[in-house]
Amino acid sequence: MTPGSNLPLSAVRVAVDVTAPVRLDVSGLLLAADGKVRSDDDFVFYNQPSAPGVTHSAAAAGGDTITVDTAAVPEGIEKIVVTASLDTPGATFAGTEPTGTVRNADDGSILASFTPPRLGTETALVVVEIYRRGGGWKVRAVGQGYANGLAGIATDFGVSVEEPAAPAAAPQAPPAP
């Protein structure tokens, strides 16, 4: 697939494997018609591995997999966005080519494959999206990068991101007389 291309899904259950030569954190976001999650429960990743119709698992090849059972995705969800971010703080995708492989989750047959081209300063990216169209489901190659990591993606899609607490200010000594 090339960026922006799409194709109809021929399977009800699809697995999106995201792999790269480096360790990635892969997640899935279930989006309503407004392009946002309904709540933080619609953010699927290694610490929250399931939501209705969507699961996260570690893949044998060292990447992660987001599996979508389109028949079990709630009616109000229009799109599942599959993202990847680098596991190493401060690292960028420059010189790294992550690949999203969409396959039939039941028989393992490959339906599509996408490697985003020309990545540079991105620290996270939307790899592909699985979306409803005309009563069916399709997959679209996206490859949109973010320079502000997974927090940037999560915030864009309506997930509440807790920032680390600011260090407490040191107490001030009273002025000398």
Side-chain angles (χ1 to χ4, degrees), residues 16-113:
V16 181
D17 303 321
V18 183
T19 57
V22 297
R23 181 75 187 123
L24 299 175
D25 289 327
V26 177
S27 57
L29 295 108
L30 290 75
L31 307 179
D34 65 358
K36 305 285 187 193
V37 295
R38 299 170 300 177
S39 74
D40 289 356
D41 292 339
D42 287 342
F43 181 37
V44 177
F45 62 109
Y46 61 92
N47 276 340
Q48 184 168 289
S50 66
V54 180
T55 57
H56 172 279
S57 60
D64 291 343
T65 300
I66 298 294
T67 302
V68 179
D69 180 345
T70 59
V73 172
E75 202 56 43
I77 298 300
E78 295 294 316
K79 181 186 304 183
I80 295 89
V81 175
V82 178
T83 70
S85 58
L86 294 157
D87 195 39
T88 306
T92 68
F93 275 105
T96 300
E97 292 189 341
T99 298
T101 303
V102 182
R103 55 183 178 80
N104 181 318
D106 295 322
D107 68 15
S109 61
I110 294 175
L111 305 174
S113 183

